[in-house]
Every structure is written in structure tokens, then in C-alpha cells.
Amino acid sequence: MTKQRVIMDVDTGSDDAVAIMAAILSPDIDLVGLTTVAGNKEINFTTDNTLRVVELLGADVPVYRGCEKAMVCTLLHNRHGDYTGATGVGTKLDAQGRKIEYHTDCLPLPAPTIREQPEHAVFYLVDTLMRSDGDIVLVPTGPLTNLAMAMRIQPKICQKIKAICFMGGGFKVFNATGASEFNIWADPEAAQIVVTSGVPVTMVPLDATHRANFTLDDARELRSWNTPAADLVATLVEERVAAYNAFQPQELPDSAPLHDALALAAVIDPQVLRDVRLMRVDVDISGGFADGQTICDTRAFPDRTPNVRVALDADRERFVTLIKSLLRSCPAR
Ligand code: BDR
Ligand code: CA
């Protein structure tokens, strides 16, 4: 069977890291390139972290640095403005007064010795897609700035993209504000450009990712394999569970979502997503209370053409089993 060619656009990021590892390890995916964007962290960190993950797995995948700030967020005075990614370690006290650290700048891996490519991510996307046979699937797992920029520079890429499967948005679940998910909130105009591009789009929102959590038991199992890749994922799951337990306790005890890995897994096995519905989706770019909301029109007769397949649920067992099987294939120390 031919491998699916994929470009991932990432803001690494601990869940991005797991998604990248899964793509590199999957026999079904040919990871053509990785582009980075500011999001979880500033672009220096998201690029550096991406290189760390590629080097950990000894993979030969080029990394291209992309946009360091959102497209136009600075232009509205009442906007969150100039978002370029956070820096520093997030620290909060939980209900018991314990210090919980999360969203550290750097992944717990050695500083990379491999280097990023000289070309900008946006031009790489334009060149690579225009030269392709229309066989590349894009998996964005951060703000959609790079992709929207590429679409504006060369709209013809939209006919060249086979499909987009992105992590972002919310149907009923939100995290950045009461109405928006982080990746979309960070660059709402970019998201609106992408969902209205005419490319077949699948959206993997928080509603799905929160149904596919990894647990501390999963982390223990991964740890017992004693491989660098499984060890890293175990550490990331443990850190995420500590933060989610403290600030966003999940229905499944001692668990946390690995959002981005679900979007990548859906390219390998679409059945990891459940209750996928074709809807009209637009992004609120008003700068108001719902700024960055993915407005999913569930009416029987929406007045605009349905444009996005929205996953409302996920198959946790299937997803966790897939990720574990990929990590299992990684050689022991
Ligand atoms: C998304 O935001 C980032 O923090 C994660 O990496 C994920 O892509 C979840 O809202
Ligand atoms: Ca991400």
C-alpha cells in the first residue's frame, strides 16, 4: 500500500510532539515536512522543540520555521492582539496550594544538533504543494497562520491539497475563552480562510480530543517499555494529567487529552473519530465575546454550504491502542 504523504504544521507543544512521533513512526505515513508556527510558545521554542523530537527519533524530516505572529490580530484595538506565543513556565497553585508547572518552554529532551531549513515555512508550503500531484494531506495542529498565508500568496494550492485534518475549534467544549479553542483563538482570520478554502477539511475539536484521553495507567505501561519515545510520551502524559487534574479535571479520572495526536491518528485510521458530521463552519472574527469561536451550523437548512467535517466524539480505545502500537515499534535503548 502506498504511504499517505503528509505535511504537519505544528506549534510544539507537548501534544504536538506526540503527533509528530506518531507520524514519523507510522508505516502508513510519509512525513514530507514539518512547518512550525507560534502558538503554544514563541516560534523559537516551537521550532527548537520540533527539531528535538525529530532528532530523538533519528528521522530525516526537514523542519521549516514559519510565522511568528498571527495574520491581523493586532489591527483591532479590542482584540487579544499581538499574540506571539507564551514564554516561560506556566505556574499555578492547585486547590490544595500545590505548585503545578505546565507549558514549559522546552521539551524534556537534549537541545537539537540538527538544524532547521533556510526556507520560510510559508514558501515551502507553496512550493511543495504546487509541485505535488495533489496527493498531500495537511495536518495543522497549531494556529493556522502559515497555511492561510500560503493560501493568500498562492490560492492555486487549494486545488493541490488533498485534504486538511486540523486540531482546533470547539462544538460545545472550549479552552481559550468561553467561546473559543486556543488554536483558532490565536489566529481567527487564518482559521476562517482555511475552513472556507474549498479544500476538504476535517476539524478535530476539543469535543473529540477530550474523549480520547491518555491516563496515568497508560503512562505507566509506556514507561515499562524503556524506550526513548515511550518514555517521553509517558513523561508528557504525567505532566499533562497533573495540570488537567488541577485545573480542568476530566470525566475519565487521572487522564488528559493529547489533542494533536488525535488529528494525526485520524489520517492513519479515520475510525478513531466518531460522530463525524458535515456542517457549515465559520469562525467569529468580530473581536467580540465570541472571537475565535468555530460557529457550527447544525440547522437542517444552513444558508451557507456545509464545508467542514466536524468530529464530535472519538474512540479512546482505538486511538490509545494505535498510538501505543506505533510507540512500541520504536527500538529499545
Ligand atoms: C491546542 O492548543 C495547544 O495548546 C495544543 O497543542 C493543541 O494544539 C488545544 O487547544
Ligand atoms: Ca498544538
Side-chain angles (χ1 to χ4, degrees):
M1 218 180 70
T2 51
K3 294 180 174 206
Q4 176 58 58
R5 300 180 78 210
V6 167
I7 297 175
M8 296 180 70
D9 187 42
V10 295
D11 64 333
T12 323
S14 63
D15 53 336
D16 302 77
V18 181
I20 295 167
M21 284 193 274
I24 290 172
L25 292 169
S26 171
D28 300 318
I29 287 189
D30 172 10
L31 186 59
V32 177
L34 285 156
T35 54
T36 64
V37 66
N40 279 317
K41 292 286 160 188
E42 289 178 353
I43 192 74
N44 285 343
F45 293 115
T46 62
T47 306
D48 174 275
N49 283 331
T50 303
L51 291 166
R52 289 178 190 225
V53 175
V54 171
E55 188 157 0
L56 174 77
L57 295 187
D60 186 19
V61 181
V63 174
Y64 299 84
R65 174 189 295 244
C67 295
E68 64 189 62
K69 60 167 79 170
M71 292 184 90
V72 294
C73 272
T74 53
L75 302 184
L76 287 175
H77 76 278
N78 57 344
R79 215 52 178 303
H80 51 80
D82 223 7
Y83 186 76
T84 56
T87 300
V89 181
T91 307
K92 276 190 189 169
L93 298 183
D94 70 7
Q96 285 74 44
R98 287 172 303 207
K99 202 164 99 178
I100 305 287
E101 290 196 333
Y102 58 98
H103 271 316
T104 50
D105 286 340
C106 299
L107 290 174
L109 292 171
T113 61
I114 59 171
R115 294 286 165 250
E116 69 201 58
Q117 302 297 311
E119 195 178 5
H120 192 282
V122 172
F123 298 114
Y124 164 75
L125 284 170
V126 171
D127 291 347
T128 309
L129 290 164
M130 288 309 292
R131 278 191 283 101
S132 78
D133 297 329
D135 58 345
I136 296 178
V137 170
L138 301 182
V139 182
T141 60
L144 289 156
T145 319
N146 288 334
L147 185 49
M149 286 284 192
M151 286 175 170
R152 281 299 195 244
I153 289 171
Q154 179 47 281
K156 287 182 186 150
I157 65 169
C158 297
Q159 279 91 58
K160 288 288 201 167
I161 302 169
K162 182 175 171 186
I164 297 169
C165 183
F166 76 92
M167 190 283 133
F171 183 68
K172 290 185 180 165
V173 185
F174 308 103
N175 60 5
T177 68
S180 66
E181 180 278 334
F182 173 79
N183 288 341
I184 308 301
W185 169 89
D187 197 344
E189 283 79 8
Q192 176 67 356
I193 289 169
V194 170
V195 296
T196 57
S197 63
V199 176
V201 174
T202 300
M203 171 167 123
V204 182
L206 295 171
D207 309 73
T209 65
H210 282 217
R211 301 277 296 156
N213 289 1
F214 266 63
T215 64
L216 286 183
D217 284 343
D218 294 321
R220 268 187 286 276
E221 183 185 346
L222 294 172
R223 185 77 72 198
S224 72
W225 299 348
N226 197 28
T227 70
D231 253 3
L232 174 64
V233 177
T235 302
L236 299 178
V237 169
E238 286 160 5
E239 286 175 3
R240 294 178 70 87
V241 170
Y244 273 84
N245 275 354
F247 309 121
Q248 290 184 66
Q250 301 285 293
E251 205 179 306
L252 186 66
D254 286 335
S255 78
L258 293 177
H259 312 282
D260 298 339
L262 184 64
L264 186 280
V267 176
I268 302 170
D269 175 10
Q271 305 295 320
V272 297
L273 302 180
R274 277 192 184 159
D275 198 1
V276 181
R277 301 189 205 175
L278 181 64
M279 295 183 197
R280 177 70 208 183
V281 177
D282 289 286
V283 179
D284 186 354
I285 52 173
S286 66
F289 284 121
D291 199 35
Q293 180 169 27
T294 41
I295 303 161
C296 301
D297 193 339
T298 55
R299 291 175 298 168
F301 303 104
D303 38 25
R304 282 153 69 85
T305 315
N307 55 341
V308 177
R309 296 170 69 250
V310 181
L312 298 182
D313 196 1
D315 185 334
R316 186 191 105 83
E317 279 310 312
R318 200 165 175 125
F319 169 64
V320 171
T321 303
L322 172 62
I323 298 295
K324 284 181 183 169
S325 75
L326 296 175
L327 292 168
R328 199 69 172 125
S329 68
C330 195
R333 275 179 232 281

